[in-house]
């Protein structure tokens, strides 16, 4: 458990319109979460990623002195950056926020088993709450950036990318496996829909 | 006009629940099967794509009562070409199974068994590619006997049984022995002396051509145009229908050579017909040697779906070979 | 093309291949192999004297092999860079070119592959596509009938800079055909080959038809199609132009092409779907609109760059709608047909989009990356006690761990990519991974298996692939039984055997460990480290008296949603076949032995409570009894 600190966890269950709310009742998940150890408040909302949802989380962090946040919504591949930024704006280290995926990996794949989906959502939220009990604040690692680009492939897409980067003043390497750049486009006679020349 | 309440979704489920029918609704009607299908050459009303499409729409009665569903012989020429890999003949079979349960029957005529002659030897049972002939014990003329019986829902009317029967007990109206012999000899063609008998300038060829082995109407027309005093063409329902006795008869009369053309192995319209036809000709060739008749006077050839204008070449080759290898007797 | 060559900020490395990529966003080190041209680039002035004297002709792949080029040549007159190259496999070393080159002295037979290293902050993958080889469709006769050609060959024939100077002729007799049929969807929309629609073939076929019509107004042109797809701006209007010009359109997929052996004319058989009748079309030439398929080296490059591929084989984007030009690897972007078949307007747009995404990074002085790195508990590391170990360093794909005798293992943060393999491999639990610590993972195991554990499947997923696969099952709404519970880690390498044992100790009905396919691993060899470890698990379970069928390993890519759903369904079916009482009994029997194996947790920070709380419950039960 985190050292010498009383845990104050806030849990936010997203309905995602009917994507989650159409299969399970987010309020029931929130009610379940409110009884988990360390949880000081648990709420559900129609769209947690929208401004009102995010503002609610930010307000709660300040008003209720939350030091951990769990968002039960979609995949981390979707909105982890959103909610990390959201808690950071309220002064919380972004790594003290954890998501439970109750959309892609729950309601979207168990639409015909609402009871099973609800139980799974509760379990996933409980697991996320358990995880945040053990997380610690982390600082992003800052790395330098080499201001050069590599474009692999000298066809029409690669040339277009290379020209744009080069125009922005970025030194760009254009690597082409064949003897000449141009790719398939260079082989074409006139191109549609304008019937102009390809090269 | 079709009303929406005629579109029966449960029929789609019914077909798909039947073994082989699983892929019914993956068909998107590209028409590859229809353009491949050989049945269409003889019956333009037959269209496998349309049958699948109608079944997929749920036109239950129209599909089950149609005569077309019985016509697919499962030659499976379309299956390897289908871009959705639908085993169309299996879907047809699934639909037929439902039709059979509902009491529908395919239209005739079917091969008829002359029960007084049939010895129950089971040669036809083994020859039939569709397992459509079984042996039954029944009372014939007051006597209990085992005879062949045709299952109508399985028979594809290829005529292989007719040719296979050693006692002449099987008969199929359209392709009876009498019918074939009369076509061979029409206009006294067989009675004219052949080249080997010194009676003609060029060898005279009798060709038995499986009706499915020539894949285009345009080509049929062209081939029909080749018929002359030198060349007689007799259609067969299947090269497996060929009868060695008829070949022998032709060779002893005015035909210098007999050419049998069947589908390419693997493309046979009746699955095993090419195999049976080729085997019969091979056996006959052995017999010919014993009879002192040159082997080159008989040939079995295959014509595939992608072969075009192969037939004239086959005839030409045979003529050349006979001229080169068989001495003229007279 | 010429703009790119002239631009002072663009450095073209033609005839070169990327062979190795190290590093991370903002800091990639790329190894490029420059293939030998046997011509010194700086000296060649593109005069072409060498090609004029070269006696050897070879097929020119730029001309789809329908025209030759010399063994020393450029693929075409407008080549960029305009530098000649020798096809060394065909060169007979007559040295006539050396003579012709004279004072320029640009020819150098001693050239070897040259490796250069580039430091870049971002990478854009724009490797394009190839076309499907229709020879594998026997019924279309490509490669058998001379007058059946591909649309790409037709492009070259009709191109005024092509081998026939724009005269479209039949390969069989060199005459311009009076009629031509163009067949759509050859290899595409065909579950025997490519399931997908190549997208742009309808448009280029219509374009070819219109061009032929303009050049040869009397030519009889027929397009045979299943559906005409013209969703782009101005495309439908273009299609209407072709209709108005009298191009014949027949809806139907041809079943076969046969050839008249004398005239070499072709007979195309097709069912006209509108008529429901079969048409036998005699034409003098056939052009096949072949599918766009992934480049042959897509697989090689995907492992060099740790990119995933979609089921179609093209590179997979991070998110199909929201991040369409991002790859799953930070700092690597996708553009053009490498990501999926695309026409020129879409390819150009994606090139610009990828450039803009890359510029976000390249115009910044610094970039922030996630601090998910490994961490050593120095007091637990036996190397600090002077013993020999180094297992962690062996497991690390990045050489980010230094182990010196007498010193605890040391992690170089900048080199660590955060796969967590070392943390799982350390036999003394002396390494953990920030944000994916043992305690965080074990706490999740405990929660997920708190109720009815024997009815549940516990799934360990890697962030990049199998978690993505589970997401993709979700976006496709592939339903599967609801009794699985997932725990996400960054890489399958992080999935410690202790976690698997803990799951069984908690009574899990089944355990699935899942990660990337070996070639897709985001941490070079992380998956291999994991696979080796998992291969030992069944025997361990057997020794513990746990049915090894309760454990499964599956490699599932981010594109394989269907596979994820199938694996969970299969496991769920298997779990249903087990007797639950027996499962519980198995757990009880194995518990003491597992706890013995986990006893090290008593000393690991934060871990003791996980073992103890079970013990306390046991004590409580005894007291109650």
């Amino acid at each position: 458990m985190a050292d010498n600190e009383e845990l104050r966890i806030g849990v936010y269950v997203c309905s995602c319109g009917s994507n989650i709310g159409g299969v399970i009742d987010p309020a029931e998940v929130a009610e379940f979460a409110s009884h988990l150890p360390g949880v000081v408040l648990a709420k559900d909302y129609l769209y947690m990623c929208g401004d009102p949802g995010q503002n609610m989380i930010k307000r709660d962090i300040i008003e209720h002195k939350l030091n951990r946040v769990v968002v039960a919504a979609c995949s981390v591949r979707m909105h982890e950056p959103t909610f990390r930024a959201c808690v950071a704006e309220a002064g919380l280290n972004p790594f003290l926020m954890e998501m439970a995926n109750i959309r892609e990996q729950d309601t979207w794949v168990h639409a015909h088993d609402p009871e099973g989906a609800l139980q799974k959502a509760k379990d996933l939220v409980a697991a996320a709450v358990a995880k945040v009990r053990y997380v610690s604040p982390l600082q992003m690692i800052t790395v330098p950036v080499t201001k050069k680009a590599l474009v692999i492939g000298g066809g029409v897409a690669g040339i277009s990318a290379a020209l744009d980067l080069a125009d922005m003043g970025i030194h760009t390497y254009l690597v082409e496996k064949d003897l000449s750049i141009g790719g398939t486009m260079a082989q074409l006679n006139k191109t549609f829909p304008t019937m102009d020349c390809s090269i | 006009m079709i009303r929406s309440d005629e579109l029966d979704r449960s029929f789609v489920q019914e077909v798909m629940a039947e073994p082989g029918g699983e892929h019914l609704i993956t068909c998107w009607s590209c028409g590859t099967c229809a353009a491949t299908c050989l049945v269409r050459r003889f019956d333009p009303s037959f269209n496998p794509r349309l049958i699948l499409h109608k079944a997929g729409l749920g036109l239950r009665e129209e599909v089950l009562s149609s005569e077309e569903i019985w016509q697919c012989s499962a030659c499976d020429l379309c299956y390897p070409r289908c871009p959705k890999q639908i085993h169309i003949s299996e879907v047809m079979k699934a639909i037929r199974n439902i039709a059979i349960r509902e009491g529908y029957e395919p239209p005739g005529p079917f091969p008829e068994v002359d029960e007084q002659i049939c010895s129950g030897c089971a040669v036809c049972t083994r020859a039939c590619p569709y397992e459509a002939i079984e042996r039954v014990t029944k009372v014939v003329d007051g006597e209990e006997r085992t005879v062949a019986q045709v299952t109508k829902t399985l028979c594809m009317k290829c005529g292989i049984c007719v040719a296979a029967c050693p006692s002449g007990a099987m008969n199929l109206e359209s392709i009876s022995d009498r019918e074939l012999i009369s076509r061979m000899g029409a206009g006294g063609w067989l009675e004219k002396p052949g080249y080997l008998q010194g009676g003609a300038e060029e060898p005279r060829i009798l060709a038995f051509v499986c009706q499915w082995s020539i894949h285009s109407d345009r080509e049929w027309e062209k081939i029909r145009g080749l018929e002359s005093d030198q060349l007689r063409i007799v259609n067969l329902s299947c090269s497996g229908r060929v009868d060695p006795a008829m070949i022998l008869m032709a060779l002893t009369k005015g035909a210098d050579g007999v050419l049998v053309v069947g589908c390419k192995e693997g493309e046979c319209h009746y699955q095993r017909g090419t195999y049976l036809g080729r085997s019969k000709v091979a056996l006959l060739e052995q017999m010919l040697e014993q009879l002192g008749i040159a082997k080159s006077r008989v040939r079995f050839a295959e014509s595939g779906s992608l072969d075009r204008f192969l037939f004239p070449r086959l005839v030409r080759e045979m003529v050349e070979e006979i001229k080169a290898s068989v001495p003229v007797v007279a | 093309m010429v703009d790119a060559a002239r631009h002072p900020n663009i450095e073209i490395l033609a005839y070169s291949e990327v062979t190795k990529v190290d590093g991370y966003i903002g800091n990639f080190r790329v190894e490029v192999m420059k293939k030998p041209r046997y011509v010194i680039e700086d000296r060649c002035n593109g005069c072409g004297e060498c090609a004029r004297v070269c006696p050897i002709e070879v097929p020119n792949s730029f001309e789809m092999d329908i025209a030759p080029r010399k063994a020393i040549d450029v693929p075409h007159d407008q080549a960029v860079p305009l530098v000649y190259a020798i096809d060394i496999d065909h060169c007979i070393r007559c040295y006539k070119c050396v003579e012709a080159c004279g004072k320029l002295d640009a020819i150098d037979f001693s050239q070897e592959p040259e490796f250069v290293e580039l430091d870049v902050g971002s990478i854009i993958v724009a490797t394009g596509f190839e076309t499907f080889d229709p020879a594998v469709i026997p019924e279309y006769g490509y490669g058998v009938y001379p007058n059946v050609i591909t649309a790409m060959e037709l492009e070259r024939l009709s191109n005024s800079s092509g081998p026939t100077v724009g005269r479209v002729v039949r390969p069989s007799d060199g005459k311009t055909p009076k009629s031509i049929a163009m067949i759509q969807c050859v290899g595409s929309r065909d579950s025997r080959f490519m399931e997908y629609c190549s997208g742009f073939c309808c448009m280029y076929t219509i374009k070819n038809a219109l061009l032929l019509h303009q050049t040869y107004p009397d030519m009889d042109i027929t397009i045979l199609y299943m559906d005409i797809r013209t969703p782009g701006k101005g495309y439908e209007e273009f299609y209407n132009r072709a209709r108005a010009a009298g191009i014949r359109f027949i809806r139907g997929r041809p079943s076969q092409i046969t050839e008249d052996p004398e005239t070499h004319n072709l007979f195309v058989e097709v069912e006209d779907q509108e008529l429901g009748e079969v048409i036998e079309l005699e034409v003098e030439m056939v052009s096949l609109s072949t599918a766009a398929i992934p480049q042959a080296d897509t697989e090689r490059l995907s492992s060099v760059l740790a990119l995933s591929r979609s089921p179609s084989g093209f590179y997979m984007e991070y998110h199909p709608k929201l991040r369409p030009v991002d790859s799953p690897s930070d700092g690597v972007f996708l553009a053009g047909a490498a990501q999926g078949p695309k026409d020129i307007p879409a390819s150009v747009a994606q090139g610009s989009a990828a450039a803009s995404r890359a510029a976000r990074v390249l115009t910044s002085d610094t970039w922030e990356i996630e601090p998910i790195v490994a961490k050593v508990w120095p007091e637990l590391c036996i190397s600090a006690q002077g013993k020999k170990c180094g297992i962690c360093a062996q497991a690390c794909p990045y050489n980010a761990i230094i182990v010196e005798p007498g010193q605890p293992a040391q992690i170089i943060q900048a080199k660590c990519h955060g796969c967590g393999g070392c943390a799982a491999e350390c036999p003394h639990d002396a390494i953990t991974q920030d944000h994916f610590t043992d305690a965080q993972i074990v706490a999740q195991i405990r929660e997920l298996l708190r109720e009815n554990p024997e009815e549940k499947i516990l799934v360990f997923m890697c962030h990049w692939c199998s978690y993505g696969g589970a997401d993709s099952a979700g976006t496709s709404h592939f339903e599967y039984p609801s009794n699985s519970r997932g725990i996400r880690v960054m890489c399958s390498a992080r999935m410690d055997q202790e976690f698997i044992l803990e799951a069984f100790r908690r009574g899990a009905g089944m355990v699935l460990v899942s990660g990337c396919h070996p070639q897709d691993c985001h941490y070079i060899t992380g998956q291999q480290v994991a696979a080796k470890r998992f291969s030992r698990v069944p025997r361990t379970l057997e020794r513990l008296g746990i049915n090894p069928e309760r454990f499964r390993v599956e490699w599932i890519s981010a594109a394989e949603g269907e596979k994820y759903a199938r694996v969970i369904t299969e496991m769920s079916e298997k779990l249903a076949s087990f007797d639950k009482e027996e499962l519980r009994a198995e757990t009880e029997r194995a518990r003491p032995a597992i706890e013995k194996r986990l006893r090290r947790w008593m000393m690991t920070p934060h871990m003791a409570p996980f073992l103890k709380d079970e013990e306390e419950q046991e004590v409580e039960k005894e007291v109650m009894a």
Side-chain angles (χ1 to χ4, degrees):
Chain A
M1 242 161 267
D3 308 328
N4 310 324
E5 188 189 15
E6 188 209 350
L7 279 169
R8 297 186 63 79
I9 306 172
V11 178
Y12 296 89
V13 185
C14 181
S15 176
C16 194
S18 62
N19 283 299
I20 294 168
V23 178
I24 60 174
D25 180 3
E28 203 179 329
V29 179
E31 151 59 26
F32 161 82
S34 68
H35 301 293
L36 293 168
V39 174
V40 295
L41 62 87
K43 294 179 172 176
D44 69 288
Y45 188 68
L46 193 58
Y47 288 107
M48 213 55 89
C49 61
D51 276 347
Q54 290 197 42
N55 289 338
M56 173 171 77
I57 297 174
K58 284 186 238 175
R59 227 178 15 248
D60 286 352
I61 291 172
I62 294 159
E63 279 176 21
H64 297 274
K65 300 192 171 50
L66 300 180
N67 53 18
R68 299 287 188 279
V69 167
V70 167
V71 180
C74 50
S75 167
V76 297
R77 289 161 64 95
M78 189 82 188
H79 273 317
E80 194 178 59
T82 313
F83 291 111
R84 276 189 179 169
C86 165
V87 300
E89 280 175 38
L92 199 62
N93 182 285
F95 292 90
L96 301 180
M97 188 283 304
E98 188 65 23
M99 288 186 78
N101 183 342
I102 60 167
R103 191 179 73 169
E104 282 86 346
Q105 297 181 12
D106 190 17
T107 56
W108 273 357
V109 284
H110 310 309
H112 293 90
D113 178 13
E115 225 166 276
L118 179 65
Q119 192 49 52
K120 187 171 178 179
K122 288 179 181 175
D123 283 4
L124 293 174
V125 169
V129 168
K131 180 175 175 179
V132 288
R133 296 168 67 87
Y134 291 91
V135 297
S136 8
L138 299 172
Q139 298 310 318
M140 293 296 275
I141 298 172
T142 304
V143 296
V145 171
T146 308
K147 298 195 170 198
K148 289 179 180 178
L150 166 67
V151 176
I152 310 174
V156 61
I159 291 175
S160 146
L163 283 172
D164 281 8
L165 287 170
D167 284 346
M168 286 185 259
I170 295 162
H171 188 88
T172 303
Y173 300 103
L174 180 57
V175 172
E176 166 57 51
K177 74 171 178 190
D178 282 334
L179 291 166
S180 167
I181 60 168
T184 306
M185 178 198 62
Q187 290 177 283
L188 304 179
N189 194 2
K190 316 265 183 325
T191 55
F192 62 80
T194 47
M195 288 292 208
D196 47 4
C197 163
S198 68
I199 295 184
Chain B
M1 192 171 61
I2 297 168
R3 291 195 322 269
S4 59
D5 58 5
E6 292 170 67
L7 306 179
D8 179 358
R9 268 196 189 283
S10 69
F11 182 57
V12 181
Q13 298 307 323
E14 205 178 336
V15 174
M16 288 175 66
E18 200 69 31
E22 301 86 348
H23 299 296
L24 172 67
I25 53 171
T26 52
C27 171
W28 61 24
S29 263
C30 70
T32 305
C33 54
T36 305
C37 187
L38 299 173
V39 176
R40 299 205 70 203
R41 297 206 187 290
F42 300 93
D43 182 357
S45 71
F46 180 73
N47 185 330
R49 172 184 71 80
L50 264 182
I51 295 172
L52 261 61
H53 186 62
K54 284 176 184 171
L57 281 174
L59 293 169
R60 192 171 206 282
E61 284 318 301
E62 187 175 340
V63 171
L64 291 183
S65 63
S66 74
E67 290 190 358
E68 281 94 53
I69 59 170
W70 304 99
Q71 298 202 42
C72 169
S73 70
C75 73
D76 282 347
L77 212 51
C78 54
Y79 177 35
R81 294 179 184 179
C82 173
K84 301 299 282 179
Q85 291 180 289
I86 303 170
H87 200 158
I88 294 149
S89 64
E90 287 291 305
V91 181
M92 292 289 181
K93 203 195 272 174
I95 295 172
R96 284 206 286 246
N97 284 340
I98 297 170
I100 291 168
R101 283 203 297 272
E102 308 256 312
Y104 290 99
E105 267 197 15
F110 298 97
E112 280 164 22
V113 183
D114 187 336
E115 289 172 348
Q116 279 160 336
I117 308 176
C118 177
S119 68
C121 68
V123 169
C124 57
T125 311
R126 285 195 295 272
C128 175
Y130 299 98
E131 297 177 3
I133 307 175
E134 53 182 352
R135 287 192 301 165
V136 292
T137 306
K138 62 200 284 191
V139 179
V140 179
D141 293 342
E143 183 190 347
E144 190 166 274
R145 288 186 43 215
T146 299
V147 292
Q149 182 176 295
V150 177
T151 311
K152 291 178 183 175
T153 52
L154 295 175
C155 173
M156 293 313 307
K157 305 158 205 163
C158 59
I160 287 173
C161 55
V162 180
C165 179
S167 27
M170 275 286 180
N171 191 32
L172 183 56
E173 197 182 315
S174 55
I175 49 170
S176 64
D177 285 357
R178 195 185 312 120
E179 173 72 25
L180 288 185
I181 290 167
S182 82
R183 273 191 255 159
M184 283 161 66
W189 192 88
L190 273 180
E191 307 309 322
K192 293 184 188 161
Y195 161 84
L196 294 174
Q197 297 156 330
E201 293 283 306
E202 288 281 312
R204 304 176 80 232
I205 307 294
L206 169 68
F208 288 108
V209 183
C210 157
Q211 60 182 349
W212 309 103
S213 66
I214 305 300
H215 285 222
S216 118
D217 295 338
R218 212 190 292 223
E219 200 167 344
W220 263 122
E221 250 169 62
K222 208 163 167 181
I223 288 170
R224 280 269 164 242
L226 297 174
E227 271 203 286
S228 68
D229 195 46
Q230 306 291 332
L231 177 66
R232 164 63 40 113
I233 296 169
V234 176
N235 281 7
L236 290 181
S237 54
C238 171
S239 64
R241 167 68 182 90
V242 74
D243 190 335
M246 291 184 202
I247 299 177
L248 261 182
M249 180 191 79
L251 290 177
T252 52
K253 292 191 166 184
D256 296 303
V258 175
L259 173 65
V260 184
V261 182
C263 301
K264 193 169 143 189
E265 190 71 65
E267 290 185 354
C268 174
H269 195 68
Y270 299 113
Q271 300 175 353
R272 284 169 54 209
T274 299
Y275 168 75
L276 292 167
R278 196 180 42 218
S279 306
K280 281 194 233 180
V281 172
L283 263 173
L284 180 68
E285 279 176 355
Q286 286 175 16
M287 270 175 63
L288 289 182
E289 277 194 320
Q290 290 162 10
L291 293 169
I293 300 174
K295 255 168 67 170
S296 58
R297 293 180 63 192
V298 179
R299 180 173 174 196
F300 186 89
E302 293 175 20
S303 173
S305 58
L306 299 178
D307 289 322
R308 201 156 187 114
F309 302 132
L310 181 67
F311 182 76
R313 203 182 80 208
L314 293 172
V315 174
R316 214 161 44 236
E317 279 170 8
M318 194 164 200
V319 165
E320 295 308 322
E321 205 179 327
I322 289 171
K323 276 162 78 175
S325 65
V326 190
V328 177
V329 179
Chain C
M1 274 167 71
V2 185
D3 290 347
R6 266 204 304 258
H7 206 294
N9 283 336
I10 296 180
E11 193 175 328
I12 297 174
L13 287 88
Y15 210 39
S16 301
E17 280 178 28
V18 172
T19 45
K20 210 171 142 196
V21 176
D22 279 334
Y24 47 92
I25 185 165
N27 302 275
F28 291 105
R29 170 152 290 193
V30 182
E31 182 191 75
V32 175
M33 181 186 67
K34 296 182 80 175
K35 294 177 272 191
R37 281 175 179 265
Y38 305 101
V39 173
I40 300 163
E41 271 186 67
D42 302 339
R43 294 193 191 164
C44 175
N45 67 359
C47 69
E49 290 300 330
C50 52
R52 266 185 283 282
V53 297
C54 177
I56 301 299
E57 289 194 335
V58 297
N60 186 353
S61 60
F62 182 82
E63 301 292 3
M64 305 311 289
D65 294 347
I66 49 182
R69 66 183 194 96
K70 293 295 183 66
I72 182 165
D73 216 335
V74 283
H76 54 102
D77 296 342
Q78 287 148 299
V80 174
L82 195 62
V83 176
Y84 281 67
I86 295 175
D87 180 342
I88 205 74
D89 295 335
H90 292 93
C91 169
I92 55 163
R93 290 176 176 74
C94 66
Y95 305 115
K96 286 201 170 120
C97 51
V98 177
E99 211 172 290
C101 192
K103 277 207 302 261
L104 283 175
D105 195 20
I107 291 161
D108 175 8
F109 278 91
S110 70
Q111 276 188 359
E112 297 271 342
E114 184 193 338
F115 291 88
V116 291
E117 287 209 327
L118 310 173
D119 287 312
V120 296
S122 181
I123 299 173
I124 292 173
V125 179
T127 48
F129 68 100
E130 275 178 23
T131 46
F132 174 79
D133 175 9
V136 299
I137 305 181
E139 58 267 28
Y140 284 174
Y142 178 79
V144 180
Y145 313 138
N147 294 332
V148 175
I149 65 169
T150 66
M152 217 40 209
E153 288 164 3
L154 184 61
E155 290 282 355
R156 294 315 300 158
L157 284 176
S158 64
N159 196 314
S160 52
S161 65
T164 55
V165 243
R167 221 165 58 84
V168 175
V169 293
R170 306 204 316 163
S172 71
D173 54 13
K175 287 184 186 147
T176 297
K178 291 189 197 66
S179 54
I180 184 167
M182 299 178 176
I183 300 179
Q184 298 305 97
C185 303
V186 177
S188 54
R189 300 185 71 195
D190 188 330
S191 52
R192 298 172 301 169
F193 309 108
M194 306 292 155
E195 189 100 49
Y196 53 84
C197 166
S198 283
F200 52 80
C201 326
C202 284
M203 282 300 287
Y204 77 60
T205 303
I206 293 170
K207 176 210 74 176
N208 282 341
L210 273 171
L211 279 178
L212 286 179
H213 178 70
Q214 280 165 15
T215 320
Y216 309 101
D218 295 332
M219 191 185 282
D220 184 279
I221 305 169
T222 309
I223 295 178
L224 304 159
Y225 69 98
M226 292 195 279
D227 297 286
I228 291 287
R229 295 182 168 175
T230 56
K233 186 175 176 182
Y235 289 10
E236 184 72 5
E237 295 89 324
F238 194 70
Y239 172 36
N240 288 338
R241 255 170 78 187
R243 287 264 182 187
I247 310 293
R248 185 188 295 122
F249 286 82
I250 295 178
R251 182 194 291 273
R253 187 179 174 281
S255 65
Q256 65 181 42
I257 301 172
T258 50
E259 187 199 42
D260 184 324
E262 278 158 31
T263 61
H264 293 292
N265 283 354
L266 302 156
F267 298 91
V268 183
E269 299 203 31
V270 61
E271 188 212 8
D272 180 320
Q273 284 174 41
E274 271 94 13
L275 291 176
E277 263 180 59
V278 178
I279 296 179
E280 187 189 62
L281 203 63
E282 181 175 356
V283 289
E284 297 195 345
M285 197 165 183
V286 168
S287 159
L288 306 175
S289 302
T290 49
I293 61 171
Q295 283 279 0
D297 68 350
T298 305
E299 191 172 345
R300 184 190 67 83
L301 204 57
S302 75
S303 56
V304 169
L305 284 160
L307 299 176
S308 322
R309 285 175 297 140
S310 305
S312 58
F314 293 99
Y315 293 118
M316 190 169 162
E317 63 287 342
Y318 189 94
H319 190 282
K321 284 176 295 215
L322 303 173
R323 293 173 70 180
V325 297
D326 291 13
S327 85
S329 294
D330 274 348
V332 180
F333 304 94
L334 308 172
Q339 180 258 350
K342 230 167 252 88
D343 61 12
I344 294 174
S347 296
V348 172
Q350 264 206 348
S352 291
S356 142
R357 294 290 292 165
R360 278 170 68 242
V361 181
L362 298 170
T363 53
S364 313
D365 294 327
T366 56
W367 198 257
E368 288 196 328
I369 57 175
E370 285 201 343
I372 297 174
V373 292
K375 204 163 78 184
V376 178
W377 307 114
E379 65 280 11
L380 294 177
C381 177
I382 62 158
S383 177
Q385 298 151 22
K387 291 179 186 150
K388 256 186 99 171
C389 184
I391 291 173
C392 53
Q394 278 166 27
C396 179
Y398 302 99
N399 297 321
I401 309 179
I402 299 171
V403 183
E404 281 169 1
Q407 296 289 321
Q410 193 195 333
I411 314 270
I412 306 163
Q413 279 211 351
K415 279 189 161 183
C416 174
H417 286 226
C419 66
C422 55
E425 284 293 295
C426 176
H428 302 280
D429 288 351
I431 308 183
T432 189
Q433 183 188 14
D434 275 341
H435 214 55
F436 293 92
T437 65
D438 287 9
Q440 288 167 14
I441 293 167
V442 172
Q444 291 177 77
I445 298 175
R446 180 169 63 183
E447 287 313 316
L448 294 174
L449 297 174
R450 196 176 278 286
E451 278 172 34
N452 306 325
E454 65 283 347
E455 282 167 17
K456 289 177 183 167
I457 303 164
L458 194 71
V459 185
F460 291 96
M461 303 182 277
C462 85
H463 174 79
W464 303 101
C465 296
S466 52
Y467 184 88
D471 273 2
S472 135
T475 35
S476 308
H477 295 261
F478 292 142
E479 298 206 9
Y480 52 84
S482 62
N483 59 340
S484 65
R485 301 288 185 269
I487 294 176
R488 179 181 66 103
V489 292
M490 293 310 286
C491 176
S492 51
R494 179 69 186 100
M495 299 168 195
D496 200 322
Q497 175 167 293
E498 289 177 353
F499 302 154
I500 299 164
L501 295 181
E502 169 68 354
F504 283 118
R505 185 177 77 106
R506 296 274 175 189
M510 285 198 144
V511 174
L512 169 66
V513 288
S514 60
C516 304
H517 292 275
Q519 70 276 12
D520 295 345
C521 180
H522 281 66
Y523 303 98
I524 313 177
T525 53
Q527 186 270 355
Q528 290 168 31
V529 169
K532 203 171 149 197
R533 183 188 313 142
F534 298 156
S535 69
R536 293 191 295 258
V537 170
R539 273 196 62 194
T540 306
L541 293 179
E542 226 162 328
R543 261 189 243 126
L544 291 166
I546 293 171
N547 181 356
E549 286 187 36
R550 292 168 65 186
F551 172 73
R552 188 161 164 178
V553 184
E554 283 294 342
W555 312 119
I556 301 170
S557 83
E560 291 176 321
E562 179 274 335
K563 180 174 181 185
Y564 186 86
R566 176 164 47 81
V567 167
I568 299 293
T569 307
E570 285 170 11
M571 290 184 75
S572 196
E573 280 163 9
K574 174 154 257 173
L575 180 55
S577 74
F578 292 143
D579 178 55
K580 296 296 172 300
E581 281 307 317
E582 177 50 33
L583 289 186
R584 274 192 284 271
E586 227 172 73
T587 304
E588 288 311 317
R589 280 198 303 271
R591 191 192 301 277
I594 296 179
E595 284 175 359
K596 216 170 140 193
R597 281 168 179 267
L598 299 178
R599 67 183 182 278
R600 211 175 295 106
W601 286 3
M602 299 303 287
M603 284 159 351
T604 319
H606 307 312
M607 294 303 288
F610 293 104
L611 270 183
K612 270 196 298 197
D613 73 355
E614 296 285 340
E615 282 167 8
E616 276 160 14
Q617 279 173 21
E618 292 302 317
V619 174
E620 269 172 31
K621 272 185 207 161
E622 278 176 30
V623 172
M624 304 249 302

